[in-house]
């Protein structure tokens, strides 16, 4: 089934190539005058200066100068058990997410239109200790090729577009109503990645999308941490296919699936102690449904994702080792995670928004490798589980509520947000009292002594758009 789906994606991606060749021939025959006297390149510069002021009530995992929020940290008691060392306040304000971009448009040969985008901000250069100088980093850089007004039956017209370069992952593009930097992550997928994406609009209501994607900044977890080498040695691009339905009344529905096949290891060790080449591979699938409704000043959105090892999209997931063979080859089993959010927004000058999200770690469908058997139950070392580097493998579930008020005054926006994020952790099993970290081998979950920890983030944003 998976091989057939991948074949369909590549067939869909081949369709615009034939159209481009036909449009090029048309340009040769009749486009000399069009290119000379028609549209020319146009540049539109854009961006904003954005400052965040954030206060937290608990130590948390957060990136980009602690502005990109992930998850509150678990309880860490001191030696006499009198204090939780992660229960401390913190504050920061930074403008490093200031953005610069340029759109290129207006160049056309025959019926083929070309465009491009380059977008950057200042995050690069900072360390986890918030020191060093912020430098420019690449956010998006892609070109577009479009064919519009293609005949499709008697009444409807079709349009086909190609996007090639670094852009938002198709599963991450629809985001909730928030002003925080993480835009709903990790409840919403978050990834900008190299890709070749085709969108084919079929009449007024339907659009088919297909893409081949690679990994750069947002990567899979594995034995050597987060790395793009796992997809590099797989020699297999990530594949996506999706369907969109929209109406003139403001309703939009989208559904899609994503297939990723990686090789977590290139070499292993057999029982004789020899280093050998191995053919380790894990193939996972991620599914999502997105709904949107807009009428006047009101808008509602919702998305639900069922993921297998979705950590390359910043989802709280990963995978574990399910078998270690005598020839050095390993097999793997993905953690399944359910992530759902919904949000509403009303207003223009004064805007009120509310977002709610929930994540549930569903565990593995098949057992992981057993390192310890205790009282008839099998347990696996947490080192056999490769989890999102911005989360923890003993995370059981998590929820978030964010009410927001925004005041828009021309190009100036002021927002105040209250982010309440609560995570439920289970204790790792420690059988020898030496700090061992074991999980239930049947599911890959930490299910003992489940407990909640909560962080309150009060955040203000000041943004000037130009």
């Amino acid at each position: 089934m998976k091989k057939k789906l991948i074949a369909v994606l590549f067939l869909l991606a081949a369709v615009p190539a034939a159209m481009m060749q036909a449009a090029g021939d048309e340009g040769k025959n009749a486009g000399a005058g069009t290119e000379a006297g028609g549209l020319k390149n146009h540049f539109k510069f854009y961006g904003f200066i954005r400052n965040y002021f954030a206060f937290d009530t608990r130590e948390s995992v957060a990136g980009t100068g602690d502005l990109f929020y992930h998850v509150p940290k678990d309880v860490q008691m001191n030696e006499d058990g009198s204090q939780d060392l992660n229960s401390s306040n913190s504050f920061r304000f930074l403008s490093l997410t200031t953005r610069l971009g340029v759109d290129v448009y207006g160049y056309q040969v025959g019926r083929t239109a070309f465009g491009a985008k380059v977008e950057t901000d200042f995050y690069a250069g900072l360390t986890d200790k918030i020191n060093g100088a912020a430098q420019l980093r690449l956010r998006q850089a892609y070109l577009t090729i479009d064919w519009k007004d293609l005949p499709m039956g008697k009444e409807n017209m079709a349009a086909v577009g190609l996007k090639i370069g670094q852009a938002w992952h198709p599963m991450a593009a629809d985001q909730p109503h928030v002003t925080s930097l993480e835009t709903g992550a990790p409840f919403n997928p978050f990834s900008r990645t190299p890709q070749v994406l085709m969108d084919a609009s079929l009449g007024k209501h339907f659009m088919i999308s297909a893409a081949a994607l690679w990994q750069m900044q947002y990567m899979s977890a594995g034995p050597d941490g987060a790395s793009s080498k796992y997809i590099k040695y797989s020699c297999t691009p990530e594949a996506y296919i999706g369907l969109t339905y929209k109406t003139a009344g403001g309703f939009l529905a989208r559904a899609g699936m994503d297939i990723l096949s990686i090789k977590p290891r290139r070499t292993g060790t057999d029982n004789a102690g020899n280093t050998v080449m191995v053919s380790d591979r894990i193939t996972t699938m991620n599914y999502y449904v997105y709904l949107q409704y807009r009428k006047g000043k009101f808008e509602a959105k919702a998305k639900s994702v069922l993921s297998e090892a979705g950590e390359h999209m910043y989802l709280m997931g990963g995978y574990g080792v399910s078998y270690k063979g005598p020839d050095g080859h390993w097999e793997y089993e993905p953690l399944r995670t359910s992530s759902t959010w919904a949000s509403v927004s009303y207003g223009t000058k004064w805007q009120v928004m509310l977002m709610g999200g929930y994540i549930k770690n569903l565990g593995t469908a098949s057992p992981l490798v057993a390192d310890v058997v205790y009282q008839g139950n099998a347990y696996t070392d947490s080192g056999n589980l490769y989890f999102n580097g911005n989360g923890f493998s003993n995370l059981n579930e998590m929820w978030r509520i964010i009410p927001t008020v925004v005041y828009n005054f021309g190009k100036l926006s002021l927002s105040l947000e209250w982010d309440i994020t609560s995570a439920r952790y289970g204790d790792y099993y420690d059988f020898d009292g030496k700090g061992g970290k074991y999980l239930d081998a049947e599911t890959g979950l930490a299910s003992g002594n489940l407990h909640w920890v909560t962080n309150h983030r009060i955040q203000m944003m000041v943004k000037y758009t130009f």
Side-chain angles (χ1 to χ4, degrees):
M1 179 64 179
K2 295 178 181 177
K3 292 182 178 178
K4 292 181 179 178
L5 287 170
I6 294 174
V8 169
L9 293 180
F10 283 107
L11 285 172
L12 288 171
V15 172
M19 293 183 176
M20 185 167 64
Q21 179 63 44
D25 293 340
E26 180 181 344
K28 290 178 182 178
N29 297 328
T34 302
E35 185 174 2
L39 298 173
K40 298 180 181 180
N41 276 343
H42 295 276
F43 301 90
K44 180 183 178 182
F45 292 92
Y46 68 92
F48 51 75
I49 298 169
R50 181 169 58 182
N51 288 264
Y52 282 110
F53 302 77
F55 171 80
D56 290 302
T57 61
R58 184 174 187 83
E59 284 291 306
S60 300
V61 181
T64 316
D66 282 348
L67 298 178
F68 194 112
Y69 193 79
H70 297 289
V71 58
K73 291 185 178 180
D74 196 3
V75 173
Q76 182 185 353
M77 301 304 295
N78 63 354
E79 289 78 4
D80 63 6
S82 62
Q83 292 181 326
D84 177 5
L85 300 179
N86 283 331
S87 180
S88 60
N89 300 333
S90 62
F91 177 74
R92 84 282 303 151
F93 63 89
L94 295 165
S95 60
L96 56 87
T97 61
T98 289
R99 188 165 302 161
L100 294 171
V102 59
D103 287 323
V104 183
Y105 62 97
Y107 181 64
Q108 186 164 337
V109 177
R111 296 173 63 181
T112 305
F114 299 89
K117 178 189 284 289
V118 178
E119 187 177 85
T120 183
D121 63 20
F122 290 91
Y123 167 57
L126 292 180
T127 69
D128 291 339
K129 297 182 179 180
I130 321 298
N131 56 30
Q135 304 167 7
L136 286 174
R137 68 163 177 175
L138 179 70
R139 278 178 56 86
Q140 299 190 83
Y142 61 81
L143 63 90
T144 59
I145 307 173
D146 295 293
W147 300 269
K148 296 181 179 180
D149 299 325
L150 302 174
M152 191 188 77
K154 295 181 179 180
E155 299 180 357
N156 295 318
M157 304 295 287
V160 177
L162 275 180
K163 181 184 290 183
I164 305 172
Q166 167 93 352
W168 281 103
H169 193 293
M171 290 185 65
D174 301 304
Q175 299 170 346
H177 299 97
V178 291
T179 61
S180 52
L181 186 61
E182 68 274 6
T183 60
F187 301 85
N188 188 60
F190 191 99
S191 173
R192 293 181 300 273
T193 189
Q195 60 189 270
V196 178
L197 171 68
M198 182 203 74
D199 289 323
S201 297
L202 307 177
K204 298 178 180 179
H205 301 294
F206 291 95
M207 181 175 71
I208 297 175
S209 301
L213 308 103
W214 206 246
Q215 293 184 7
M216 190 179 75
Q217 181 181 357
Y218 305 94
M219 301 168 290
S220 296
D224 296 322
S227 175
S228 61
K229 70 181 183 180
Y230 310 128
I231 191 172
K232 168 186 172 182
Y233 289 116
S234 77
C235 300
T236 307
E238 182 181 352
Y240 167 85
I241 186 168
L243 176 66
T244 300
Y245 171 78
K246 61 181 179 180
T247 70
F251 175 76
L252 182 146
R254 200 186 326 271
M257 62 180 297
D258 176 89
I259 306 172
L260 176 65
S261 186
I262 60 173
K263 294 186 68 173
R265 299 188 311 152
R266 191 171 58 91
T267 61
T269 304
D270 63 18
N271 282 357
N274 299 313
T275 301
V276 294
M277 300 286 289
V278 295
S279 58
D280 294 14
R281 182 178 290 271
I282 176 172
T283 301
T284 56
M285 303 182 74
N286 300 277
Y287 310 87
Y288 83 104
V289 176
Y290 171 75
L291 301 174
Q292 176 182 305
Y293 176 73
R294 179 183 300 166
K295 184 175 183 180
K297 298 180 181 180
F298 175 80
E299 186 176 52
K301 302 178 182 180
K303 183 188 289 187
S304 186
V305 182
L306 180 62
S307 65
E308 295 179 334
E311 77 283 355
H312 65 292
M313 294 184 288
Y314 262 32
L315 297 172
M316 284 296 165
Y319 58 97
V321 182
S322 59
Y323 173 76
K324 294 183 178 181
D327 59 352
H329 139 261
W330 291 0
E331 295 179 2
Y332 306 88
E333 187 69 23
L335 279 172
R336 301 161 300 155
T337 307
S338 172
S339 304
T340 301
W341 60 261
S343 69
V344 293
S345 172
Y346 181 82
T348 51
K349 185 173 183 179
W350 281 99
Q351 190 175 5
V352 292
M353 302 185 292
L354 179 66
M355 177 246 177
Y358 178 71
I359 293 173
K360 177 63 177 177
N361 187 347
L362 302 174
T364 58
S366 299
L368 300 179
V369 63
D371 295 303
V372 174
V373 177
Y374 181 74
Q375 294 182 349
N377 296 317
Y379 300 91
T380 187
D381 191 295
S382 61
N384 293 322
L385 205 66
Y386 309 121
F387 201 77
N388 184 328
N390 296 298
F392 303 93
S393 56
N394 63 327
L395 179 67
N396 187 279
E397 57 186 319
M398 187 166 84
W399 59 262
R400 176 176 295 171
I401 296 177
I402 307 180
T404 307
V405 177
V406 183
Y407 177 67
N408 298 300
F409 182 71
K411 294 186 176 182
L412 181 68
S413 296
L414 306 175
S415 76
L416 183 63
E417 230 172 37
W418 180 17
D419 179 324
I420 310 168
T421 301
S422 191
R424 195 182 193 194
Y425 291 98
D427 288 348
Y428 290 108
Y429 296 98
D430 179 10
F431 300 104
D432 54 11
K434 297 180 181 180
K437 292 184 176 182
Y438 294 91
L439 300 162
D440 186 344
E442 289 296 316
T443 61
L445 298 176
S447 54
N449 187 30
L450 293 174
H451 55 279
W452 291 95
V453 295
T454 302
N455 178 65
H456 295 264
R457 166 169 284 203
I458 306 298
Q459 183 169 261
M460 185 177 74
M461 182 199 72
V462 181
K463 176 181 176 183
Y464 178 78
T465 302
F466 55 87

